[in-house]
Each structure stands twice: as structure tokens, then as C-alpha cells.
């Protein structure tokens, strides 16, 4: 034990060196790309929270945690409150345990509206009030959709607004390496028909068009749900999509089965996917994008959300070595507009306090968005945040897609009941890629859903 | 001595036995070896090739850009760009095996040979990376030409992964937290369980078998079921006394309770198996139950105590769930497993951090195992009873 004590001492010494006061990432007032006025206004309005503690609990760990803490530092500096963020790998379970046992954090940050709706019904969330809903409506791109995803039934059975969206993810993206496209003479496709033509062209030239990886440990299958949702929005109306989410139309409805088969056009074509169809389910989603950068390239295109650059090799510069295009729509279905599939994290008050209320106010200031935008991997539908603040052009282009989308739809699997959206839908997609019929897969998922009713 | 003679001396069955033990050991060790090798490689290498290729220099294909067309010098009718592919810093140095000008065929030409690219262009890349790019007219590209190279690199290992893990903020605090949780959470259940095991095996009282059955029954209760009720209880107690419900005492008691049924069961089986003669002669000599327990049973059951403490220590040391629920998720409350897990990021998938962390967390359990291991093998009972 003496030895481990000694090691422990060495660690303490290390720790002492690493710890330090949290500093503001960008000095207030200095850089004109930030809206410092909003920071000063917030400071004078809420500067009276000295010493109050605020606990936040959410999904971000590692680098994301550092980034969020840099935003939180501005709140702490402005109000004098002591806001502390923490996370856990199993935050979905942990938040349920904490709220049920009666020791919740002040604010819970949850990316699944389905889970928040569940907490709201049990009476664990404090409503944010109509004024916040109105604010979102006027200040967020597709504001009404965002309000819908934060509105749930409370314990009294009445609908109220609970979830404040902050940080969005964009799903309808296809990533590619511009230099590979340039060398082979490929053009970025503007329509789905062109995209299929391009895929065939790549096959003819002896290449492989797509990298698709569905592996994700216990969550294997989820990347396929994004594909199906994107295809759903490109083959059916947004209203049909909403009905699908609420199970008003069944999972084996022709519209849903059609969307699954659209996905199958890509994922179940041996010539289209790197490694063949057999590799789709076994390739990890984190390793899959790396095929773009292999020499010779394993694939030319990769469909994945806006977070994926963090899994690109470290030396790849966004916009130069890698870029994205919007997953195009069918030219034959112009009535569907340009739908955007996305997701976002919702902030909900699980234990009310003046500091918690003030934090929600803080999220309405442009500066809260800009500090994260200026560093990395942050998109916001907030129209008041300066787009100059985005760290690079790739992010800026994605941000513009979000604020200008004609239709914004939240990731369906995140809104379905957990047993479907994070269960039967995933496993069903694995079965489908494994060769099962789309209609049968839809039937299986519907059976699981019926079992919940 | 011939091979046949030595084979006869060892015996075929024994040889087969030894060979199969060896094979099983090797198969058993391969994953650990893989993790060890991986922990010394950088993230790029881990994704581009398997750990088994780490010891031999691997050929990697990468892209490089030739010098700027503006730097071309004129030589008669030809324009020449020359330099080294390693100059730009895009490529790690090594020796060039092959090169190509199309991404679809990156190893089209052998190093050192002149490649005719058509259009009056000729390119030669030598094994040492130097190249000459000749064109019969002026170069009209805007940027330097992109070429692809297959380069063999010597084996390359790094300590950076360990450095990243050991210097990450809060790791020292969480190490201490882990020890603060694991040591009492190992000692408390063993102390209580040893008393209980003695009583349940050598003291006569009504309902004894019922209690044993109950304890055995408790082994099958999954601890996840108790998380919410137990935390509710802690919250109520915390509110009553105005203290935080998340404390070390709380997690010690939780771990003790979760470990107790198995501890009592294991120790009772062992203690009940001690020779009756020793205990009875101690009784005859006038020893009380407490004296028998302390002076005879406890020393004799050291192997069982040691093996259970290894189990319990490993479980509490490796635990993440119970610590997250009963100790909290704040930076200063995280145990080692928690803070290493946080290093992996929101999406996970950082193999280099994961493997290095594995070898850092393994140190303490290994120390505990070797410290207690000698008690496991010592034959304490040898010769204690005549004819026994």
C-alpha cells in the first residue's frame, strides 16, 4: 500500500499543476465578431446571483465538456453564480435515477425529446413559460418546429413548454474529399437523381461511392435511422413524417417501407458500399468516415451528421481536405421543398432556482452561442448570433442551412419511445441490411410499438 | 540424446498437456498484448493498421504536393521542378517504394524509375524522396501537383497516450477518490461478513438455516434495482440532518451491502469446513466464541478472506455505476473510471486513450493481487489435525 500511496502523492502533485482558475476564452469587448453588448446587458440585468450554486448535467464529455465549460464561464463571470457542469456516460439513466430519487441537478441537458417528455409527464420538469416559447418562435430558424420539440404534457396532463434548444446538429449532410472529386472530374450533385447517377459513374470508373458504417457498440444501427429519416423527408411530406413519429401511420406503411427501401438502394448494393453489404453493419460509425481519406479512397461519399469531422484524421482541414454537400432532394418531387433533418440538445429545469432561470435567460444572449461557435462543432438556429463568429466556413454554411431551411424536422428516432427509437428501430435496420425484407422489418418494429400501447 | 529418447522421458500425455496449456495461455494473453501494443501507437496508426503490424515497418500511402510551378527552372526546352517530397511536411520521412499521380492508382510507378505522364511530362521519385518533374514546355498549373506515395516507415512507438491520460485535469483527484472508495468498501464488508459467517457456521441458534437461505437468496438480487430506493433513502436522511446525500460514507455502505451476501456465503462455506476438532478442543479449553473466532477461525480463514478481498477490491475499483449514482458526477467527485471515461469524449471511440487508461487502472489491482496472493497458496491447515 505504501507504493500506491506514493503514486497517489505523485498524482496530487500533477493535479496541483493542472488546476487553475477558469478564464474567459475571449476577453470581453475585444473582438468585434462577438456581440459583447448582449454580454454586458445580461451582466447588468443578472449580476445579483453572487455565490448561488447552479448544477447542470448533460451528455457532453471530453472536448465537448471543455467547450461547454468555456460558455459556462461567461455565465459565472457575469452573474457571480457558481455554475458547475457534470456528465456521465449513462446520462440518460442517471437523470432518471436522480430525478426519481429526489436529488436532481438544477438544469438537465438532454438531446432526446422523448426522454424529456417522459420526465415532464412525471412532473420532474419546471415549465419555462409562454414568453420563452414566443422568444424561440421569433428568434430561431423554423422556430415553431423547435417549440414543438420542447413542448410536452406535464403531470397535470396539460401541454406546456419545457425544453429550451441550444446547440443543434445537422443530419442531412454528405461528406466528400473535394480533391478526389476534382481529380476524377465529379460534380457535386444537385438532385437525388444526379446523386444516383454519380454513384453509378463512380462504380463504372472502378471506385466505390459510399462508406456506410452502422456499428456503435450497444447502439449499433442508429446511423441507418438517420438515412431512413432523410429518405422519408425526400419521398413523403413533412406531415407524413410527423404522423410516422407519433405512430399515426404504421411502421409498415408503404411510405415508411418506401423510405427504408430508398436507404436500401445505397446500403444493400454491393457495388455501392465499401467492403460490400456485409461490412455495413460491422463497420463502426466512427471508423467509417476515415475511408474517404484512404489512398486509394475506400469511398467517395459519406452520409453523416455535422459532428463527424471530429472523427476525421487529425491533419484534415475542413473546407480544404474535406467538405460536405446537402443530401439533395428528388427533382421529381419539388413540392417537398428543401427539408433539413437535425437534432439538438434541450435545456430543461429539473430543480428551479433564480440561477437556473437566469441561465435560460443567458441562453437567449447571442454571446452564449457565439463563444462556442467561434471554437468548434457548434451550430445554432438562433438568428441573432453573428455568423461571422463561426470558426470556419464549413460550420458557417451548415449554420445557414439551419436558419434558412424551409422545413426542419427533428431526428425521428430521438422522439419515438425509447424502446422503438433506441431499440427496435436500430435492430430492425440491422436485420434489413442483413437481407430481411423491408416490409417484414417494418412489421416487426410496429409489433414492438403495439406492445408498448 | 535423441529426440525420441527425450520424448520418452517426458511422456506423450504430459507433452500434450504442456502444449495445450501453453496454447491456451497464449490465446488468453493475445487480447491483452494487443491492448498493450495499441496503447503505444498514435491515433492515426491505430486506425490505419492492426496492432500486429506495429513491430514490422509498415508501408503507408500518403499524398504530397510537388513544388510550386513558379519555382520551375528552365533547362533548354525543358522546365524542371525538383526537391524532396518530404520538404512540405505533409509526409513523414521514410523510404519511398512506389508513387503515382492518380488517387485511384497511388502505386502505379516504381520508385527510382522515370514515369511518363503524357503531355510531355516526366516524373521521377527516388527512394530517398528526391524528385524531378520535367515538362517539355512551361508549367501552367496554379498549384503544385499532387502525387501519391507508398512509403515504408520504421516501427514507431509513442508514450504520448500515457502522457495525455496522466496529465489530464482531475486525474490525480479521481485516483485518490477511487482509493478512498475502494479501500473501506473492501474492509467493511469483510469484517462484518467474517463475524456473520462464524455465527452461521459454529453457533447454534433458532432460524439459522433460514438466515443462510435468505443470504443466498440475496445474491441474485441485481443491484440496479436498488439504486433509486437507496438514493431516495439517502436523500431523506441527508435532508433530515441537513447534510449532502452524496458522501463517502454513503458509497461505502452501498458497496458493503452489495458485496455482503456473496461475502457471507463464501466465508461461511469456508469456515464451516474447518475441522470440528480444533474448535471443539478450544471450547473444552474454555475459550469463548469471541476468542475462538479471533484466535483460531480468523487466522485459519486467511486464504478465504484474501480471495474475497481481491474480488471485492476489483469490483469496487472497476465500478462506475454505483460511484456515479452515490458519489456524484462532479469533477471533484469522480472516481478514476469516471474521469477516464470522460476523456473518451461524448462519442467515444478513442482507442489510444482507452488502451492507455486500461493499463493505468490495472496497476493498483495488480499490486493488491500480488500483495494478497501469498495467502492464497499457503497451506495453513497442513498438519493441524492428527490423521485429519
Amino acid at each position: 500500500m505504501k507504493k500506491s500511496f506514493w503514486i497517489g502523492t505523485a498524482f496530487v502533485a500533477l493535479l496541483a499543476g493542472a488546476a487553475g482558475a477558469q478564464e474567459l476564452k475571449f476577453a470581453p469587448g475585444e473582438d468585434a465578431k462577438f456581440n459583447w453588448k448582449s454580454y454586458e446587458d445580461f451582466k447588468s440585468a443578472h449580476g445579483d446571483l453572487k455565490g448561488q450554486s447552479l448544477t447542470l448535467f448533460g451528455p457532453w464529455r471530453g472536448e465537448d465538456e471543455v467547450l461547454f465549460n468555456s460558455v459556462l464561464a461567461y455565465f459565472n463571470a457575469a452573474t457571480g453564480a457558481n455554475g458547475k457542469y457534470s456528465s456521465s456516460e449513462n446520462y440518460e439513466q442517471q437523470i432518471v435515477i436522480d430525478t426519481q430519487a429526489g436529488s436532481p441537478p438544477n438544469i438537465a441537458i438532454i438531446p432526446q425529446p422523448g426522454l424529456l417528455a417522459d420526465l415532464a409527464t412525471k412532473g420532474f420538469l419546471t415549465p419555462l413559460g409562454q414568453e420563452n416559447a414566443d422568444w424561440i418562435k421569433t428568434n430561431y430558424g423554423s422556430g415553431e418546429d423547435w417549440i414543438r420539440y420542447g413542448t410536452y404534457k406535464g403531470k397535470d396532463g396539460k401541454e406546456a413548454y419545457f425544453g429550451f434548444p441550444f446547440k443543434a446538429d445537422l443530419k442531412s449532410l454528405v461528406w466528400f474529399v473535394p480533391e478526389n472529386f476534382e481529380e476524377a472530374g465529379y460534380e457535386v450533385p444537385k438532385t437525388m437523381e444526379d446523386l444516383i447517377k454519380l454513384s453509378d459513374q463512380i462504380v463504372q470508373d472502378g471506385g466505390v461511392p459510399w462508406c456506410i458504417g452502422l456499428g456503435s457498440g450497444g447502439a449499433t444501427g442508429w446511423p441507418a435511422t438517420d438515412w431512413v429519416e432523410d429518405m422519408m423527408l425526400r419521398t413523403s411530406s413533412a406531415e407524413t413524417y410527423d404522423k410516422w413519429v407519433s405512430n399515426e401511420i404504421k411502421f409498415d406503411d408503404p411510405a415508411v417501407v418506401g423510405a427504408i427501401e430508398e436507404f436500401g438502394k445505397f446500403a444493400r448494393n454491393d457495388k455501392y458500399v465499401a467492403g460490400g453489404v456485409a461490412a455495413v453493419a460491422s463497420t463502426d460509425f466512427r471508423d467509417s468516415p476515415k475511408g474517404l481519406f484512404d489512398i486509394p479512397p475506400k469511398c467517395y461519399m459519406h452520409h453523416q451528421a455535422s459532428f463527424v469531422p471530429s472523427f476525421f484524421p487529425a491533419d484534415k482541414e475542413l473546407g480544404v481536405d474535406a467538405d460536405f454537400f446537402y443530401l439533395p432532394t428528388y427533382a421529381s418531387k419539388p413540392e417537398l421543398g428543401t427539408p433539413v433533418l437535425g437534432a439538438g440538445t434541450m435545456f430543461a429545469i429539473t430543480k428551479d432556482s433564480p440561477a437556473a432561470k437566469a441561465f435560460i435567460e443567458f441562453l437567449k444572449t447571442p454571446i452564449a452561442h457565439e463563444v462556442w461557435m467561434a471554437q468548434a462543432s457548434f451550430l445554432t438556429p438562433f438568428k441573432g448570433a453573428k455568423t461571422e463568429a463561426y470558426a470556419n466556413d464549413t460550420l458557417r454554411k451548415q449554420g445557414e442551412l439551419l436558419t434558412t431551411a424551409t422545413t426542419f424536422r427533428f431526428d425521428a428516432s430521438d422522439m419515438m419511445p425509447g424502446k422503438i427509437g433506441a431499440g427496435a428501430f436500430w435492430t430492425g435496420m440491422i436485420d434489413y441490411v442483413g437481407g430481411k425484407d423491408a416490409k417484414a422489418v417494418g412489421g416487426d418494429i410496429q409489433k414492438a410499438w403495439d406492445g408498448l400501447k | 540424446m535423441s529426440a525420441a529418447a527425450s520424448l520418452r522421458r517426458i511422456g506423450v500425455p504430459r507433452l500434450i498437456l504442456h502444449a495445450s496449456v501453453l496454447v491456451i495461455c497464449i490465446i488468453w494473453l493475445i487480447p491483452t498484448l494487443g491492448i498493450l501494443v495499441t496503447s503505444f501507437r498514435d491515433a492515426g496508426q491505430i486506425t490505419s493498421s492492426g496492432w500486429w503490424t506495429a513491430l514490422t515497418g509498415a508501408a503507408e500511402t500518403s499524398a504530397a504536393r510537388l513544388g510550386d510551378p513558379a519555382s520551375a527552372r528552365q533547362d533548354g526546352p525543358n522546365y524542371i521542378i525538383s526537391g524532396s517530397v518530404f520538404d512540405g511536411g505533409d509526409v513523414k520521412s521514410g523510404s519511398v517504394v512506389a508513387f503515382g499521380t492518380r488517387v485511384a492508382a497511388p502505386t502505379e510507378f516504381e520508385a527510382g524509375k522515370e514515369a511518363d505522364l503524357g503531355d510531355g511530362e516526366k516524373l521521377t521519385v527516388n527512394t530517398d524522396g528526391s524528385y524531378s518533374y520535367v515538362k517539355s514546355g512551361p508549367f501552367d498549373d496554379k498549384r503544385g501537383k499532387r502525387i501519391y506515395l507508398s512509403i515504408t516507415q520504421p516501427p514507431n512507438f509513442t508514450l504520448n497516450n500515457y502522457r495525455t491520460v496522466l496529465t489530464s485535469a482531475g486525474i490525480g483527484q479521481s485516483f485518490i477518490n477511487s482509493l478512498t472508495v475502494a479501500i473501506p468498501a473492501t474492509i467493511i464488508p469483510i469484517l462484518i461478513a467474517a463475524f456473520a459467517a462464524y455465527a452461521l457456521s459454529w453457533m447454534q441458534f433458532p432460524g439459522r438455516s433460514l438466515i443462510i437461505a435468505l443470504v443466498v437468496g440475496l445474491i441474485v438480487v441485481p443491484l440496479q434495482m436498488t439504486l433509486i430506493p437507496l438514493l431516495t433513502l439517502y436523500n431523506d436522511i441527508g435532508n433530515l440532518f441537513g447534510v449532502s446525500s452524496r458522501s463517502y460514507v454513503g458509497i461505502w455502505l452501498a458497496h458493503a451491502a452489495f458485496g455482503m451476501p456473496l461475502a457471507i456465503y463464501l466465508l461461511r462455506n469456508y469456515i464451516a469446513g474447518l475441522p470440528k476438532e480444533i474448535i471443539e478442543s478450544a471450547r473444552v479449553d474454555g475459550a469463548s466464541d469471541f476468542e475462538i473466532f479471533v484466535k483460531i477461525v480468523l487466522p485459519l480463514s486467511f486464504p478465504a478472506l484474501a480471495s474475497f478481498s481481491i474480488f471485492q477490491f476489483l469490483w469496487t475499483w472497476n465500478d462506475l455505476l454505483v460511484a456515479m449514482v452515490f458519489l456524484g458526477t462532479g469533477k471533484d467527485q469522480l472516481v478514476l473510471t469516471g474521469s477516464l471515461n470522460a476523456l473518451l469524449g461524448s462519442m467515444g471511440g478513442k482507442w489510444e486513450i482507452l488502451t492507455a487508461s486500461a493499463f493505468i487502472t490495472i496497476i493498483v489491482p495488480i499490486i493488491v493481487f500480488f500483495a494478497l496472493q501469498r495467502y492464497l497458496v499457503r497451506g495453513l491447515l497442513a498438519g493441524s489435525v492428527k490423521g485429519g
Side-chain angles (χ1 to χ4, degrees), chain A residues 173-182 188 288-294 299-302 304-326 392-398, chain B residues 65 143 146:
Chain A
L173 306 178
V174 178
W175 297 86
F176 70 107
V177 177
E179 269 171 336
N180 289 350
F181 264 50
E182 209 176 287
V188 169
S288 184
K290 285 163 187 139
L292 290 172
F293 304 100
D294 278 2
C299 59
Y300 283 83
M301 291 176 281
H302 180 65
Q304 188 53 284
S306 49
F307 69 80
V308 81
S310 52
F311 297 106
F312 289 170
D315 55 343
K316 302 299 171 198
E317 196 187 323
L318 276 187
V320 180
D321 297 316
D323 209 342
F324 73 92
F325 59 84
Y326 168 75
N392 55 52
D393 284 336
T394 310
L395 279 178
R396 192 167 304 124
K397 264 161 58 191
Q398 292 173 5
Chain B
R65 210 172 270 291
R143 284 192 295 179
R146 198 165 137 97

Side-chain angles (χ1 to χ4, degrees), chain A residues 98-104 351, chain B residues 230-247:
Chain A
D98 275 341
T99 46
Q100 295 216 345
S103 50
K351 193 165 82 189
Chain B
L230 200 54
L231 189 60
T232 315
L233 181 73
Y234 280 4
N235 284 333
D236 291 345
I237 295 175
N239 288 340
L240 195 66
F241 294 103
V243 292
S244 165
S245 57
R246 296 199 150 127
S247 66

Side-chain angles (χ1 to χ4, degrees), chain B residues 97-298:
Chain B
V97 182
F99 65 97
T101 53
R102 291 181 305 134
V103 72
T107 54
E108 208 175 354
F109 311 108
E110 211 177 304
K113 290 204 175 136
E114 191 179 63
D116 191 345
L117 308 180
D119 211 11
E121 293 182 24
K122 290 194 168 76
L123 175 65
T124 319
V125 182
N126 298 312
T127 27
D128 61 358
S130 63
Y131 65 86
S132 82
Y133 181 30
V134 185
K135 192 176 179 183
S136 53
F139 289 98
D140 44 14
D141 302 320
K142 279 194 205 106
R143 284 192 295 179
K145 192 175 176 58
R146 198 165 137 97
I147 62 163
Y148 305 91
L149 303 154
S150 171
I151 300 168
T152 45
Q153 273 154 354
N156 182 16
F157 294 101
T158 171
L159 283 172
N160 276 341
N161 304 334
Y162 287 93
R163 207 167 290 138
T164 313
V165 174
L166 288 176
T167 56
S168 63
I171 197 93
Q173 175 68 44
S174 63
F175 188 88
I176 308 241
N177 289 354
S178 262
L179 284 178
T180 320
V181 170
I183 293 172
T186 308
I187 294 171
I188 298 171
I190 286 190
L191 273 183
I192 305 175
F195 279 109
Y198 174 76
L200 290 175
S201 41
W202 293 107
M203 286 164 77
Q204 299 294 336
F205 56 89
R208 198 176 75 164
S209 351
L210 200 70
I211 294 179
I212 296 172
L214 195 71
V215 167
V216 173
L218 279 176
I219 296 176
V220 300
V221 176
L223 75 89
Q224 287 83 350
M225 271 177 60
T226 65
L227 293 179
I228 294 177
L230 200 54
L231 189 60
T232 315
L233 181 73
Y234 280 4
N235 284 333
D236 291 345
I237 295 175
N239 288 340
L240 195 66
F241 294 103
V243 292
S244 165
S245 57
R246 296 199 150 127
S247 66
Y248 283 110
V249 180
I251 193 169
W252 293 338
L253 291 179
H255 271 311
F258 294 144
M260 201 81 82
L262 186 68
I264 295 176
Y265 175 71
L266 281 181
L267 292 180
R268 194 206 80 93
N269 283 357
Y270 187 87
I271 289 173
L274 293 176
K276 215 162 127 197
E277 291 84 350
I278 308 180
I279 315 260
E280 274 170 3
S281 36
R283 280 235 170 87
V284 170
D285 289 343
S288 67
D289 272 322
F290 186 72
E291 276 172 319
I292 296 173
F293 175 72
V294 174
K295 292 193 174 147
I296 297 173
V297 172
L298 216 49

